[in-house]
Amino acid sequence: MRQWVIIVIFILFMPSLVAAPQPQLKNTHPEIYVVKKGDTLWDISAVFLNNPWSWPQLWQKNSYIKNPHLIYPGDRLHLIWVNGKPQLSLKKHLKLSPQVRVVRQPITSLPGYLMVAYVAQDKLISAEALMTQPQILGTSEERGYLSIGDVLWADQSLVPTSQWRVYRLEQDFVRTDEQQQTEKTAITAKISTLKEIADVTVITSDGVTSQLQVDRFQQEIIPNDILLPLLGADIQHDLSFSPMTPPASLSATVLGQISGYSYISNYDVIVLDRGHLDGMVAGQVFELFKPGAEVQGKKGQYHYQTSTLLTDSTQLGTVAVAQAMVLRPYEYFSLAVVLNNQQPFKPGVVAQAPRS
């Protein structure tokens, strides 16, 4: 009977144990904020909150704000209190004119150049996907340098007039998981970063290969470069996510920076070793922690690590170095952008749910 009582109590209180951290209002928060051109959801969140990733809790129960991506420059956000909790109400700004029709763009989570570059276009490719994508064969003249208007060939039949972007494989990232229940069998996933090389348009196809024309290029196109479809201008649905808190149980490791730099800093795009199969969702915000210093020596003779041979060492607590917002999850990996970085750091830091 006592066991059943404990179970019932746990079920009743379980929601409070897993509840997301409450929004922490800044002491300097405004009562009214007028959205400006160039604002992002992250910018506005940081105006009101010390923990911008809790932004959804300010608007999710508010009947005036059904979708944060329908907030436009000129709109007025009013901070109100409902049952002792802060919420935002929205007053739309409408400018009527019988002569001029102004098309306003809704705000996005982050600056447009980050969103379009890393959300709308592929930057990672798995080994499995690599085997199915068309690749460059070369030119009939064996030319090494191509300019706009030149013609080359691909190894698959592609739809005439369709547009494609040419990429080159840059670096590989590998994820290995240890499965305790299955005799510690390692499950490995591999993914590669892609570097933009050129844009091409399909001229014609013979059913086996395709003839392409160069529309734009950044550097020399070579055989074996990868082709991926070039997305159109209507990508707003890919940009529609807002900052949110991930589950406390979800954590990841920063494998590296997508451009291959040794050090990582603000607004750099990083690769995490967890993907949508693990629960990663675009918009989730993680805190990044590096290991604390290691102290060696005996009592009264402590000093920072100077030798790897000494065994009497103490690892100090982790140090928060930045936040990172997930931009695009793949199956086993994710792309995220670094935010609020205080100093450059190296790959290997741990991404965890923000602490209350």
Side-chain angles (χ1 to χ4, degrees):
M1 181 66 180
R2 183 178 179 183
Q3 289 180 335
W4 280 107
V5 171
I6 294 174
I7 293 173
V8 171
I9 292 174
F10 178 77
I11 293 174
L12 290 175
F13 283 93
M14 186 169 60
S16 63
L17 296 176
V18 299
Q22 291 299 310
Q24 300 171 8
L25 288 176
K26 283 186 171 180
N27 293 332
T28 57
H29 70 80
E31 298 300 322
I32 300 174
Y33 180 79
V34 180
V35 180
K36 304 186 299 294
K37 184 178 180 181
D39 274 347
T40 66
L41 279 179
W42 185 264
D43 296 333
I44 297 174
S45 303
V47 169
F48 288 96
L49 301 173
N50 288 317
N51 51 348
W53 49 88
S54 295
W55 162 259
Q57 294 175 259
L58 283 182
W59 57 259
Q60 64 181 351
K61 296 180 180 179
N62 191 319
S63 61
Y64 292 97
I65 305 179
K66 297 296 185 182
N67 186 338
H69 297 275
L70 297 182
I71 301 174
Y72 294 83
D75 290 346
R76 299 167 70 88
L77 299 176
H78 295 254
L79 184 67
I80 61 176
W81 295 83
V82 178
N83 297 326
K85 294 183 179 181
Q87 290 186 10
L88 286 174
S89 91
L90 172 65
K91 183 176 182 180
K92 304 296 290 183
H93 172 70
L94 299 176
K95 184 177 181 181
L96 302 178
S97 171
Q99 298 176 339
V100 180
R101 179 176 179 267
V102 179
V103 178
R104 299 187 300 160
Q105 295 296 322
I107 64 174
T108 55
S109 296
L110 292 167
Y113 72 90
L114 280 172
M115 301 292 287
V116 173
Y118 295 103
V119 179
Q121 298 292 349
D122 283 288
K123 293 294 181 179
L124 299 178
I125 190 168
S126 65
E128 295 76 17
L130 184 59
M131 299 301 296
T132 64
Q133 291 304 128
Q135 292 181 260
I136 296 295
L137 288 169
T139 67
S140 297
E141 303 88 355
E142 297 185 29
R143 295 175 58 186
Y145 179 80
L146 297 176
S147 57
I148 294 176
D150 285 344
V151 173
L152 65 161
W153 295 84
D155 66 354
Q156 291 186 24
S157 177
L158 306 175
V159 177
T161 73
S162 61
Q163 294 181 302
W164 296 74
R165 178 154 288 169
V166 182
Y167 293 93
R168 184 161 304 145
L169 297 178
E170 276 212 303
Q171 57 180 329
D172 298 330
F173 292 107
V174 176
R175 162 183 168 175
T176 302
D177 297 334
E178 296 295 335
Q179 297 293 316
Q180 302 292 338
Q181 295 82 2
T182 56
E183 300 179 356
K184 296 186 178 180
T185 302
I187 299 176
T188 302
K190 178 181 175 182
I191 206 159
S192 302
T193 60
L194 296 171
K195 181 179 181 180
E196 291 183 17
I197 300 298
D199 291 342
V200 296
T201 299
V202 180
I203 301 174
T204 185
S205 172
D206 60 10
V208 178
T209 60
S210 297
Q211 195 175 37
L212 315 171
Q213 178 178 289
V214 179
D215 299 326
R216 178 189 69 89
F217 70 97
Q218 293 178 303
Q219 66 181 83
E220 175 188 357
I221 305 172
I222 60 176
N224 302 308
D225 281 345
I226 310 299
L227 288 165
L228 294 173
L230 183 62
L231 300 183
D234 185 18
I235 57 173
Q236 191 61 42
H237 63 284
D238 289 322
L239 311 184
S240 297
F241 59 80
S242 59
M244 69 180 76
T245 306
S249 60
L250 184 57
S251 64
T253 300
V254 176
L255 297 178
Q257 200 256 18
I258 195 169
S259 299
Y261 299 137
S262 298
Y263 284 88
I264 301 169
S265 191
N266 224 31
Y267 282 138
D268 282 347
V269 175
I270 55 177
V271 180
L272 302 176
D273 68 345
R274 292 293 181 269
H276 69 75
L277 293 181
D278 304 290
M280 287 287 198
V281 176
Q284 288 176 336
V285 177
F286 290 84
E287 283 194 295
L288 304 183
F289 296 91
K290 69 177 183 179
E294 211 170 321
V295 175
Q296 295 179 327
K298 297 180 180 179
K299 196 172 185 67
Q301 299 177 342
Y302 295 136
H303 57 84
Y304 294 115
Q305 179 184 10
T306 57
S307 172
T308 58
L309 300 178
L310 298 178
T311 57
D312 56 333
S313 61
T314 301
Q315 182 82 49
L316 303 184
T318 57
V319 179
V321 294
Q323 281 118 29
M325 181 189 293
V326 176
L327 291 176
R328 184 170 187 179
Y330 294 75
E331 282 190 333
Y332 299 102
F333 301 86
S334 295
L335 289 178
V337 60
V338 175
L339 302 167
N340 296 340
N341 172 238
Q342 303 302 317
Q343 58 181 343
F345 58 92
K346 291 184 177 182
V349 302
V350 176
Q352 296 179 332
R355 300 169 179 173
S356 300

